[in-house]
Amino acid sequence: MSSLKGSRIQKMRLPVHTRKGPLEVPSPSEKDWSKDDKEDYVLKDPDQELDSLPQPYRMISKLVDLLFDRSWEVIEEREAAREAERSRTQPTIYPPLVESKLNNMPKCMAVSQDYVFIGEANGFSIYNVYNAKQIGAWEKLKVDVTSIWATDLGSEVLIASLDEMGIIRLFYYYKESLFLIKAINEVDDVSKQTICIKMTVSLGGDFAAFLLQGVGDVWLDVYKLPKESWLKEVEYPQLTANPKKKVRQLQLNAIDSTTPDNLETDVYACFKGDVKLSLPVYIMKIKPPKPITGTTFKSPLEVFAKIEDCCGLGSGQNHFIKDSQWEQQEAIFKGSYRKFLDGEWKEEPPSMATFHFLLPSSVISMPAEAKGPSGVACVLGIHWTGSHNFFFYSLHRTLKDKADPESVWPCAAPIAVSNLSCCGSYLVLACEDGVLTLWDLSKGFPLGVVALPKGCFCQSIHFLKYFLVHKGENMFPELPVKSKMKCVVLCTDTSLHLVEAEGTRGPTTRVLAERPVKHVNETIRAVAPVPALPGMVLIFSQDGCARLMDVAKSQVVCAFAPPRPCQLVVPWSPVFVVSLHHPCFLLRGDHPDEIEHKDNSRNIQNSIFCFSFETCPLLKNISGNCVLSQSDLTCHAAFRQTLPLEKRCERFLQERFQNLEKSAMKEQEHWTRLRRYSLLLQKREPR
């Protein structure tokens, strides 16, 4: 009897290999019911059914199943991505119009008028935009030219070249003659050599500013350029050397065995080194703002008695705070954030500056004797790295005058990026918190403040020439536009946004391109507006293509790429230049041979590709008629305010009469609805 009980108890015991943890209760749905309809089905122990293999083979089986499931998921994702890639509409890719082969690798490019200036080893070369023929060159250096700028002065061109040693030189190009004006920061003592970091020339070429860096110090030198004297001096040259000695004409393109076949060799350029031009006039030196320190004044009365003027009060510049107050605030700060301040402090890099030459406007009140011509810059606007303030310095001063700002614009956050439109009428200040402030300098009032989406911070700002969408096409208005601007903002996450502002209306933002997640090769590396095409921008992607985007439709119209694949360095920094007056752009080709064998002694074929928008069939309609006539412009809703008052009233009355019929129909609909509702309420009322 006892043995029978023991056997029954043993049969009723739970399995030894029971699963630990809470039991999963199946959901009461039909899809989870067992599909085994066999009558002889016997519920087995789930552990015995799944774990029939002994250890460690059960664990190996589970790992293999898990690996198989994950591999299958990856295969499905890749197959879905390939299917989506096949279904994507790829833009039409156009090849370059001309390929110019060079012996040296081009470092930089600049375009002005009909000339292209290419920085190379030992100097720079000059080419024609139309036929890509070399006009001349200047090869007097032992180092490479890393940056080059070109400014249109009318019939002349002002050229500035920066070499690897940080020395910047000014050149004057007039009627295929090249003149060296001055090396701005070249000194005889190498230990006192300064480095030029950035430069800017004012609209019209009347002023120039150079950001220089010395031993632990950064400052800005501002010069006035005597362009009227240069024009007289090149037309009637005065030789500083022997008058009987003729100006020697240099053959700059010598024929040798390494010259490519398609490179012009019978071109002669004239470098007139014996002609000395007037030197730029040094105006002022601007240093970064000093850190705020305590004052020696004992009372506010003493402050107001000895202060010279109230310029800068309330803007964060002129502080009169005692040392004891600063020490008290510093002790409170360190006590509150001690755990964050215990780490090692990194040495801060030298402060950098961004500066713009501003035209006369109502933003800054200038003295009557300091006012100049309307088209000549009169103010230099500058902001330093990490600074909340935008400073304004008058250009109508001498070297003896103290370089103090005439006005200061404080911002809520440090200014990260700023840009001035080509016409000099609009200014955009982008702060580090992603907020943009849009200014209409000609009218003297802000167009508005707009914030980028969360997580987006400004990397660069590019102004677009104002355009209108008329009958589905982008067109430039024939009449001048006032208080209306459009700009494209490239963010640090490589997303692209369009910012628009008009008069007193609040600015708006629109996403043009999201950050690519699946297609990393389409990451945006650079953006450039196309002045010849309304509403078009060039987007240079990581894959080496330049895509032309219509910002009005947020669509890619077409793409441009070299004829053979390029091996790009990650991250790729494209070397390109877009012509302001011609519908074309130039792009340097980066080839595998150039990257793999650039340190070898043999010469390498480097290329610059010229792409023309006129040769693209998809752009013929855009480039053929891109100006909106005055008759169509007056009918456009955006420009009706330019009509006389009588015309505007007449159009307003006509629109009101046209809307009367629509209003009458809407009133009849509302009246019918009210009658039905009243009848329904009457039926529901108790009798």
Side-chain angles (χ1 to χ4, degrees):
M1 189 70 179
S2 60
S3 60
L4 182 60
K5 284 185 179 180
S7 61
R8 289 181 179 178
I9 293 173
Q10 190 174 4
K11 290 182 180 179
M12 294 174 62
R13 287 178 182 175
L14 294 175
V16 179
H17 303 287
T18 56
R19 297 181 181 270
K20 297 182 180 180
L23 297 176
E24 296 181 0
V25 180
S27 57
S29 58
E30 294 182 0
K31 65 179 182 179
D32 296 327
W33 290 358
S34 177
K35 297 181 181 179
D36 193 355
D37 297 330
K38 295 181 179 180
E39 296 180 357
D40 56 345
Y41 177 78
V42 179
L43 180 63
K44 299 180 180 179
D45 186 357
D47 289 330
Q48 294 179 0
E49 184 178 4
L50 297 177
D51 301 336
S52 58
L53 296 175
Q55 290 288 7
Y57 301 104
R58 290 198 304 270
M59 181 62 65
I60 296 175
S61 177
K62 291 180 180 179
L63 291 177
V64 171
D65 293 341
L66 180 62
L67 181 61
F68 180 81
D69 294 340
R70 291 184 177 180
S71 302
W72 190 253
E73 291 177 0
V74 172
I75 293 172
E76 288 181 345
E77 290 178 359
R78 290 182 179 180
E79 187 63 25
R82 289 173 185 171
E83 188 65 25
E85 185 69 23
R86 295 190 199 100
S87 61
R88 285 182 62 196
T89 304
Q90 296 293 340
T92 305
I93 300 178
Y94 294 102
L97 180 65
V98 179
E99 178 182 359
S100 300
K101 295 182 179 180
L102 308 176
N103 290 333
N104 299 320
M105 179 179 178
K107 304 292 183 180
C108 51
M109 291 185 291
V111 63
S112 180
Q113 298 182 6
D114 299 336
Y115 307 105
V116 179
F117 305 91
I118 301 176
E120 301 172 345
N122 305 329
F124 61 89
S125 301
I126 306 172
Y127 288 81
N128 191 298
V129 176
Y130 294 104
N131 50 23
K133 292 183 179 179
Q134 186 175 4
I135 300 174
W138 185 80
E139 298 177 349
K140 297 288 184 179
L141 301 176
K142 296 182 180 179
V143 293
D144 298 347
V145 172
T146 57
S147 299
I148 192 167
W149 297 268
T151 305
D152 188 3
L153 302 181
S155 58
E156 316 86 41
V157 180
L158 178 65
I159 310 166
S161 65
L162 179 66
D163 59 23
E164 290 180 333
M165 301 300 294
I167 299 176
I168 190 164
R169 295 173 176 85
L170 294 181
F171 296 87
Y172 192 77
Y173 189 71
Y174 177 71
K175 292 183 178 180
E176 298 186 358
S177 297
L178 189 64
F179 305 87
L180 175 62
I181 300 174
K182 182 185 178 181
I184 298 296
N185 58 334
E186 187 176 20
V187 294
D188 297 333
D189 190 358
V190 182
S191 60
K192 299 180 180 180
Q193 180 66 55
T194 59
I195 299 174
C196 180
I197 305 173
K198 190 186 299 183
M199 75 152 294
T200 299
V201 179
S202 65
L203 183 66
D206 296 281
F207 298 92
F210 306 93
L211 184 62
L212 304 177
Q213 181 179 356
V215 181
D217 194 9
V218 177
W219 67 93
L220 191 69
D221 284 346
V222 185
Y223 291 84
K224 181 176 176 58
L225 304 178
K227 62 177 187 177
E228 290 81 7
S229 301
W230 292 342
L231 184 58
K232 295 178 181 179
E233 291 168 355
V234 296
E235 290 180 348
Y236 306 99
Q238 299 292 331
L239 302 182
T240 57
N242 187 3
K244 298 181 180 179
K245 183 179 179 180
K246 295 182 179 181
V247 178
R248 55 193 180 94
Q249 189 172 9
L250 302 179
Q251 183 177 0
L252 300 173
N253 298 315
I255 302 177
D256 55 8
S257 58
T258 61
T259 304
D261 297 335
N262 65 337
L263 189 63
E264 295 293 329
T265 58
D266 55 348
V267 179
Y268 288 79
C270 186
F271 172 67
K272 299 183 178 180
D274 296 332
V275 179
K276 301 299 180 182
L277 303 183
S278 299
L279 300 180
V281 181
Y282 189 58
I283 297 179
M284 59 179 168
K285 181 178 182 179
I286 303 175
K287 291 187 176 182
K290 297 180 180 179
I292 301 173
T293 57
T295 181
T296 58
F297 295 120
K298 298 180 180 179
S299 64
L301 296 177
E302 186 178 357
V303 173
F304 289 105
K306 295 185 179 181
I307 190 173
E308 296 180 358
D309 55 5
C310 60
C311 178
L313 283 176
S315 62
Q317 288 305 298
N318 292 345
H319 283 287
F320 300 98
I321 303 176
K322 292 184 179 181
D323 291 332
S324 58
Q325 292 176 318
W326 282 115
E327 293 174 359
Q328 183 180 3
Q329 293 295 328
E330 186 178 1
I332 295 174
F333 179 79
K334 289 184 177 180
S336 302
Y337 301 98
R338 186 178 302 277
K339 61 180 180 179
F340 300 101
L341 301 175
D342 292 338
E344 297 182 358
W345 286 89
K346 296 182 180 180
E347 185 178 355
E348 295 184 0
S351 181
M352 297 299 171
T354 303
F355 40 95
H356 312 280
F357 288 98
L358 309 179
L359 298 176
S361 62
S362 56
V363 174
I364 304 173
S365 58
M366 301 294 295
E369 62 274 6
K371 292 184 178 180
S374 58
V376 179
C378 64
V379 175
L380 178 67
I382 179 174
H383 67 87
W384 299 87
T385 304
S387 175
H388 294 246
N389 301 319
F390 191 79
F391 303 93
F392 295 90
Y393 294 86
S394 175
L395 298 174
H396 298 282
R397 66 175 75 219
T398 60
L399 187 58
K400 297 180 181 179
D401 298 334
K402 191 176 180 181
D404 289 335
E406 271 66 28
S407 180
V408 181
W409 282 356
C411 296
I415 304 174
V417 183
S418 65
N419 197 8
L420 182 71
S421 62
C422 297
C423 60
S425 300
Y426 306 105
L427 176 69
V428 177
L429 302 178
C431 296
E432 292 182 356
D433 56 356
V435 176
L436 305 179
T437 305
L438 317 177
W439 282 91
D440 185 356
L441 300 179
S442 59
K443 297 296 183 181
F445 68 91
L447 292 173
V449 178
V450 64
L452 296 174
K454 186 177 180 181
C456 296
F457 304 99
C458 180
Q459 180 180 352
S460 60
I461 303 170
H462 310 272
F463 280 94
L464 298 177
K465 187 178 177 181
Y466 192 82
F467 68 94
L468 295 171
V469 180
H470 183 69
K471 296 180 180 179
E473 296 182 1
N474 302 340
M475 292 186 178
F476 292 128
E478 188 177 11
L479 295 178
V481 179
K482 296 181 180 179
S483 300
K484 297 179 181 180
M485 59 152 288
K486 296 183 181 182
C487 64
V488 175
V489 178
L490 178 62
C491 297
T492 53
D493 63 345
T494 68
S495 62
L496 198 63
H497 303 262
L498 176 65
V499 179
E500 300 180 78
E502 179 180 348
T504 56
R505 299 179 183 177
T508 59
T509 59
R510 181 162 56 89
V511 180
L512 297 178
E514 296 280 358
R515 179 183 180 181
V517 178
K518 296 182 179 180
H519 308 280
V520 185
N521 58 340
E522 295 182 3
T523 302
I524 301 175
R525 293 300 176 187
V527 177
V530 182
L533 301 177
M536 299 290 176
V537 294
L538 277 174
I539 299 175
F540 295 88
S541 306
Q542 179 62 47
D543 55 1
C545 291
R547 293 173 172 82
L548 186 67
M549 172 179 281
D550 185 356
V551 299
K553 302 177 183 178
S554 302
Q555 295 179 356
V556 175
V557 179
C558 59
F560 304 91
R564 52 186 181 274
C566 300
Q567 181 176 344
L568 305 178
V569 181
V570 179
W572 180 50
S573 179
V575 178
F576 66 94
V577 63
V578 181
S579 177
L580 297 176
H581 307 287
H582 307 287
C584 66
F585 74 97
L586 289 87
L587 176 65
R588 186 186 72 180
D590 299 328
H591 302 302
D593 296 338
E594 166 184 299
I595 298 175
E596 294 177 1
H597 307 287
K598 64 181 180 181
D599 296 329
N600 293 0
S601 58
R602 64 174 184 175
N603 292 327
I604 304 162
Q605 298 295 329
N606 303 283
S607 300
I608 290 182
F609 301 100
C610 178
F611 297 89
S612 177
F613 301 114
E614 294 179 341
T615 59
C616 304
L618 295 176
L619 301 177
K620 287 184 178 180
N621 297 331
I622 300 175
S623 59
N625 184 18
C626 60
V627 178
L628 191 62
S629 62
Q630 186 173 356
S631 59
D632 295 334
L633 189 62
T634 54
C635 299
H636 202 279
F639 279 84
R640 289 178 183 175
Q641 66 271 22
T642 60
L643 296 174
L645 181 60
E646 296 179 358
K647 291 287 185 181
R648 291 168 61 185
C649 294
E650 183 180 354
R651 289 182 178 275
F652 178 75
L653 290 175
Q654 290 177 358
E655 290 180 358
R656 294 295 295 175
F657 281 124
Q658 292 175 0
N659 293 331
L660 282 177
E661 297 180 0
K662 297 180 180 179
S663 300
M665 294 176 61
K666 290 183 179 179
E667 290 178 0
Q668 185 65 30
E669 291 178 0
H670 288 302
W671 180 250
T672 305
R673 191 179 299 110
L674 286 174
R675 288 186 61 185
R676 292 177 181 175
Y677 186 67
S678 62
L679 293 174
L680 181 62
L681 291 178
Q682 291 177 4
K683 292 180 180 180
R684 291 183 178 180
E685 288 183 358
R687 295 181 180 179

